[in-house]
Amino acid sequence: FFVVTGILLSSVIGLPTATVPLWRLAFAIVAIPAVFQIFAMGTCVESPRWLISVGRIEDALISLQKLRGTADVSNEFFDIVAGQVGKKKAARLLKENSHEKNLKNLNTDEGFDNNDTEFDSSADYHKKELDAAGGSSDLEGGEDDDEQRPPMSVIQIFRDPVIRKITLIVLFHHVIQQLSGMNAVMYYSTTIFEQAVSHKEAQLMAIYTTLVNFGMSVIAMVFIDRSGRRILLIASELGTTLFSILLVIGYLYNIPNLLIASVFVYVASFAIGIGPIPWMITSEMTPIEASSSVGAVATAMNWAMNFLIGQVFPIIFAAIQGWSFLIFAVICFTSAVVTFFFLPETKGRAIEDIVASFKK
């Protein structure tokens, strides 16, 4: 939502400042959000999963509680720890951490901490679960069921069979986000609209496309945790397929209204799924040990494809005009098929659960 807000603001500011000498002002204004972000970063907390990965169990609990407000986080916290070190070792770690903290508090007359009580009861509860399943006979000192994994490099994420599957799905959707043609429309929307209206009207319509992008992102924000990621993404991909085809028809038969309407609805279709969801699944599907490398590769791939579209689309458009969008239609339809068969639903699921499903 805030990404498309920035795109809308930059388009609105760009219209009056795209002249000499005001273009310098357009570049200078960028400093305002940058300075704001420096101070706003003080409100951020460290990732609980990262804190656990470096052994800062207590800090991780505090961080998770800040993110969850007044909600009880004991079971969620246990699942996060267990996802990294295994259930038996997680129960042992939580009890050890709780006892150490309470002993320290007694020695300093600080009393017991409510978080530690939740910690302790959660560890006891999950220990009983393991006992019932016959899986915790060695909880107090035997072999653990899983070992904590160190951070994985870019090469390692492609060697591990489970992480490789996740990485390829994430990369595919980042590639599609750009090859679907959205930035071709955004970068060259004025040129496209000039096929139907005057230059001045085309400039205004270019801003209207960013407004549509903004509005549909609001709708996506409302529905994404209700309908789920998969259904929105598939609907988005099929929508961009359909309206890319209609855009081609508008060009071929010189139907200005169809051309303009197709661009707007194409942008709307993109904004409800292809725009936000690849970024969401990057963090929702990737375990902590691989998150940095997968995120880095996905971002690099996304911008590489963005650069490719920015460089290649004018050449293709000059050569085949409206037929260009038929290429995007084929790409979007292919992505809908791949999404249907290979992308799991991530709504309401922990990373650890999603990774476990890939292991199966």
Side-chain angles (χ1 to χ4, degrees):
F1 171 71
F2 277 98
V3 167
V4 297
T5 300
I7 292 171
L8 175 61
L9 288 175
S10 63
S11 296
V12 171
I13 292 169
L15 186 62
T17 58
T19 59
V20 177
L22 292 181
W23 65 267
R24 295 174 176 84
L25 179 62
F27 278 84
I29 289 173
V30 176
I32 296 173
V35 171
F36 171 78
Q37 190 171 10
I38 290 172
F39 292 100
M41 285 301 294
T43 65
C44 291
V45 297
E46 287 287 2
S47 160
R49 286 180 171 86
W50 179 81
L51 290 168
I52 292 166
S53 74
V54 295
R56 293 165 59 183
I57 304 295
E58 183 184 334
D59 290 338
L61 178 62
I62 293 170
S63 182
L64 182 64
Q65 193 67 68
K66 286 181 179 178
L67 291 169
R68 298 291 183 258
T70 58
D72 180 4
V73 300
S74 54
N75 284 334
E76 180 186 7
F77 189 67
F78 178 86
D79 289 339
I80 293 173
V81 178
Q84 294 195 40
V85 301
K87 288 185 177 180
K88 287 182 283 184
K89 191 172 181 181
R92 189 165 65 245
L93 277 173
L94 296 191
K95 285 193 67 70
E96 288 172 358
N97 189 83
S98 176
H99 292 324
E100 288 174 8
K101 179 77 183 298
N102 286 332
L103 284 172
K104 181 181 176 182
N105 287 347
L106 281 172
N107 292 333
T108 57
D109 297 323
E110 291 182 13
F112 290 96
D113 191 301
N114 286 335
N115 277 340
D116 296 318
T117 306
E118 288 181 6
F119 235 14
D120 214 355
S121 61
S122 177
D124 285 335
Y125 170 75
H126 288 288
K127 180 179 181 299
K128 289 175 184 176
E129 276 194 327
L130 289 167
D131 284 334
S136 64
S137 59
D138 58 347
L139 182 64
E140 299 301 330
E143 289 295 319
D144 206 348
D145 54 342
D146 197 8
E147 290 298 322
Q148 186 167 359
R149 300 180 65 178
M152 301 176 74
S153 69
V154 170
I155 295 174
Q156 288 172 326
I157 62 175
F158 289 103
R159 287 179 175 172
D160 185 291
V162 174
I163 304 302
R164 181 171 60 242
K165 290 179 187 177
I166 294 171
T167 302
L168 290 176
I169 291 172
V170 169
L171 284 180
F172 174 82
H173 285 93
H174 276 274
V175 169
I176 291 301
Q177 187 185 76
Q178 298 300 329
L179 295 189
S180 64
M182 175 61 172
N183 279 326
V185 172
M186 300 303 285
Y187 293 157
Y188 303 106
S189 53
T190 302
T191 303
I192 294 168
F193 284 127
E194 282 177 348
Q195 307 294 316
V197 296
S198 68
H199 177 72
K200 188 65 177 178
E201 289 175 317
Q203 285 183 314
L204 291 173
M205 285 187 177
I207 293 179
Y208 296 156
T209 59
T210 63
L211 191 60
V212 169
N213 193 19
F214 172 84
M216 292 305 296
S217 295
V218 174
I219 294 173
M221 189 168 59
V222 172
F223 284 100
I224 204 157
D225 274 330
R226 298 182 184 183
S227 61
R229 283 59 159 151
R230 268 174 55 88
I231 188 68
L232 276 182
L233 187 54
I234 293 170
S236 177
E237 289 163 338
L238 292 176
T240 51
T241 300
L242 174 62
F243 291 102
S244 291
I245 293 171
L246 290 177
L247 207 154
V248 173
I249 294 171
Y251 265 114
L252 290 180
Y253 294 98
N254 194 24
I255 310 172
N257 290 339
L258 178 61
L259 191 152
I260 293 169
S262 297
V263 171
F264 283 137
V265 186
Y266 168 88
V267 170
S269 299
F270 177 91
I272 63 168
I274 302 175
I277 291 174
W279 296 108
M280 294 181 68
I281 63 173
T282 303
S283 59
E284 291 181 336
M285 291 176 59
T286 312
I288 185 67
E289 69 269 13
S291 61
S292 294
S293 292
V294 173
V297 171
T299 304
M301 182 65 73
N302 191 293
W303 281 104
M305 293 299 102
N306 189 322
F307 175 79
L308 179 68
I309 287 292
Q311 298 302 310
V312 170
F313 179 74
I315 300 170
I316 297 174
F317 190 75
I320 59 177
Q321 292 291 304
W323 287 104
S324 307
F325 286 90
L326 197 57
I327 299 172
F328 298 139
V330 172
I331 291 172
C332 291
F333 181 76
T334 303
S335 68
V337 174
V338 172
T339 299
F340 180 81
F341 285 106
F342 295 104
L343 180 69
E345 180 56 69
T346 59
K347 171 193 156 189
R349 297 176 66 190
I351 296 173
E352 293 76 19
D353 176 43
I354 294 168
V355 174
S357 71
F358 277 97
K359 289 179 181 178
K360 294 175 185 177

